[in-house]
Amino acid sequence: MIALTMTACSGSESDDGAGGTAAGGSGTVRLAINPWIGYEASAAVVAYLLEHQLGYKIELKESGEADSWKGFEDGTVDVVIENWSHPELKKEYIEEKKVAISAGQTGNKGVLGWYVPEWMVQRYPDITDYRNLPKYKDLFKTDKSGDLGQLLAGDRSYVTNDEALVKNLALPYRVVYSGSEEALIKAAQEATEKKTPLLMYLYEPQWVFSQLKLVKVNLPPYAIGCDADPKKVACDYPPYLLDKIVSTKFAREGGKAYELVKNFSWTNDDQNAVAYDMAVNKMSAEDAAKKWVEANKIVWQDWIPA
């Protein structure tokens, strides 16, 4: 994981929180940081603007997706800047506990799925049909998958359907966790460069698609309700319109900070540009955000509240 380096990260609640004094730009905004570079790119730009345009202090809290939502209840998180659906979390924290609300869409269009390097499709044209994966299982065997083919996943904290899909589609594969987004991307780069077989879970927006040619595997088409029971899922992932989640206290008392978060909306290309600078050009989160902000005032000027 490539960590944001704007300000010191703190998980504790303090007296100058956004809920208390943020309306004048003198408060602190507690921003959750989830472990993938696209999220961090969005957080970097929002944090940069909150700090440099509106005068807020920023606290960054690194955690997994589900754990971030706990911060809405205990006061350690004001904002989750990129949420991938999670109806179960919305039910618990928005509908039942009423400690969070949606602050609108980010503008990003999310895609989840299984991918193989383009060279594999050229060599095995039918490999992108999931029904043909059993005959190719030996290609994907590794020390970690044993006699089964390997499906490489990312961080264990990512919420995915992969294990259920493998089981319910009767595929002779084992889900193996790489441990991080960085390891997942490195595997894709090596598989492309060395032409080694790789079947992997990946997602868009993702800067690596501008560097590598990867092809999505066709799983059974998604239909509304086909993923209602996580244990019985046997269909592809749905398309996602990503949104922002904030604490109800932040929405009520966050002032201009909340208005900026609510107004924030950009494209996959915008996010990928910042993420690429962080991951490939090794820029700090603040420097990558600054570069994008300086080049894209026409995009973000309408986010800034009057």
Side-chain angles (χ1 to χ4, degrees), residues 160-205:
T160 73
N161 297 331
D162 293 343
E163 292 189 9
L165 283 168
V166 166
K167 178 181 178 182
N168 296 329
L169 296 176
L171 299 176
Y173 284 77
R174 174 173 289 123
V175 178
V176 174
Y177 293 91
S178 65
S180 68
E181 180 186 59
E182 187 175 1
L184 202 58
I185 290 173
K186 183 178 180 180
Q189 291 170 328
E190 290 181 351
T192 298
E193 179 183 351
K194 299 178 181 178
K195 285 189 165 46
T196 53
L198 177 67
L199 175 64
M200 67 187 301
Y201 161 90
L202 201 56
Y203 39 86
E204 302 179 53

Side-chain angles (χ1 to χ4, degrees), residues 87-100:
E88 76 290 352
L89 294 175
K90 287 184 174 181
K91 180 179 179 181
E92 179 179 358
Y93 291 94
I94 295 178
E95 297 176 17
E96 296 175 356
K97 294 182 177 178
K98 302 185 186 304
V99 295

Side-chain angles (χ1 to χ4, degrees), residues 38-198:
Y39 184 109
E40 295 178 34
S42 294
V45 168
V46 170
Y48 186 89
L49 291 172
L50 284 169
E51 186 174 4
H52 293 276
Q53 291 292 317
L54 297 181
Y56 289 86
K57 296 178 182 179
I58 308 298
E59 288 184 0
L60 307 176
K61 182 177 177 60
E62 298 183 3
S63 61
E65 290 178 82
D67 286 341
S68 293
W69 290 62
K70 297 176 183 177
F72 295 137
E73 189 170 17
D74 64 23
T76 59
V77 169
D78 294 317
V79 181
V80 167
I81 202 63
E82 180 178 293
N83 172 61
W84 287 69
S85 187
H86 292 300
E88 76 290 352
L89 294 175
K90 287 184 174 181
K91 180 179 179 181
E92 179 179 358
Y93 291 94
I94 295 178
E95 297 176 17
E96 296 175 356
K97 294 182 177 178
K98 302 185 186 304
V99 295
I101 66 168
S102 174
Q105 296 177 1
T106 68
N108 296 127
K109 295 176 175 60
V111 178
L112 296 177
W114 298 355
Y115 293 82
V116 294
E118 185 185 55
W119 71 263
M120 295 196 73
V121 180
Q122 294 170 346
R123 189 174 299 180
Y124 313 103
D126 65 348
I127 202 168
T128 57
D129 186 331
Y130 81 96
R131 291 169 294 189
N132 294 322
L133 288 177
K135 73 178 182 180
Y136 291 115
K137 73 163 186 172
D138 290 345
L139 279 177
F140 297 109
K141 282 183 180 179
T142 69
D143 291 341
K144 294 181 179 180
S145 67
D147 291 333
L148 302 174
Q150 174 179 280
L151 169 60
L152 188 67
D155 189 306
R156 282 188 176 273
S157 71
Y158 296 171
V159 179
T160 73
N161 297 331
D162 293 343
E163 292 189 9
L165 283 168
V166 166
K167 178 181 178 182
N168 296 329
L169 296 176
L171 299 176
Y173 284 77
R174 174 173 289 123
V175 178
V176 174
Y177 293 91
S178 65
S180 68
E181 180 186 59
E182 187 175 1
L184 202 58
I185 290 173
K186 183 178 180 180
Q189 291 170 328
E190 290 181 351
T192 298
E193 179 183 351
K194 299 178 181 178
K195 285 189 165 46
T196 53
L198 177 67

Side-chain angles (χ1 to χ4, degrees), residues 9 25 27 38 44 59 71 84 93 110 125 161 179 212 216 232 248 268 272:
C9 178
E59 288 184 0
W84 287 69
Y93 291 94
N161 297 331
L212 304 178
K216 195 170 185 290
K232 296 181 179 179
T248 52
N268 285 14
N272 287 340

